[in-house]
């Protein structure tokens, strides 16, 4: 993206699986707070380039038959995947106000964490959450 649009400054690719776009936003906010830049772009993209994942999950009955994800519901019967992309242009609030930019959201805080092994993709680490 930096190359295509002629952007200058730090450019980082983040791959943390499910949380990559949130980690990218965290890193963008850190760079703004540290004064490394005055504007940052953070985002994420999912591209299902081949059908291999769909085929394998289908074999395991891991895809929802109706194509709808029903996380944590009693009627949950699998996942539903899609491709997509999203970007955020992030600026310090004081700079946005001074520059007359429309503020549509405020990031009040962020963090990155890994709490170790758990008993499933959506389950917290029992040893960490019980104490």
């Amino acid at each position: 993206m930096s190359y295509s649009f002629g952007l200058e400054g730090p450019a980082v690719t983040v791959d943390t699986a499910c949380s990559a776009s949130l980690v990218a936003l965290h890193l963008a906010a850190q760079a703004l707070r540290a004064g490394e830049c005055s504007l940052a772009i953070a985002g994420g993209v999912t591209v299902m380039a081949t059908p291999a994942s769909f085929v394998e999950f289908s074999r395991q009955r891991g895809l929802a038959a109706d194509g709808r994800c029903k996380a944590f519901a009693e009627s949950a019967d699998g996942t539903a995947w899609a491709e997509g992309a999203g970007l955020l242009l992030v600026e310090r609030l004081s700079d946005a106000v001074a520059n007359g930019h429309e503020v549509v959201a405020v990031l009040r805080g962020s963090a990155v964490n890994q709490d170790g092994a758990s008993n499933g993709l959506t389950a917290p680490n029992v040893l960490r959450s019980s104490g």
Side-chain angles (χ1 to χ4, degrees), residues 38-115:
S38 58
L39 288 170
I41 299 172
V45 63
T46 299
V47 176
M48 308 299 283
T50 69
S53 297
F54 290 103
V55 171
E56 188 57 36
F57 260 69
S58 180
R59 283 184 185 145
Q60 298 173 26
R61 296 180 176 256
L63 295 178
D66 61 1
R68 296 178 153 270
C69 198
K70 298 171 276 301
F72 309 110
E74 191 173 325
S75 61
D77 61 353
T79 189
W81 289 336
E83 295 180 317
L87 295 173
L88 297 173
L89 180 62
V90 188
E91 184 175 26
R92 283 182 292 273
L93 181 59
S94 58
D95 290 346
V97 171
N99 294 328
H101 295 155
E102 180 183 5
V103 176
V104 295
V106 175
L107 179 66
R108 297 203 180 271
S110 65
V112 175
N113 183 42
Q114 208 304 353
D115 67 347

Side-chain angles (χ1 to χ4, degrees), residues 7-36:
L7 304 175
E8 298 177 358
V12 179
T13 299
V14 178
D15 183 359
T16 63
C18 298
S19 65
S21 57
L22 293 174
V23 172
L25 179 59
H26 173 74
L27 294 173
Q30 276 189 325
L32 287 166
R33 283 189 209 105
E36 296 172 359

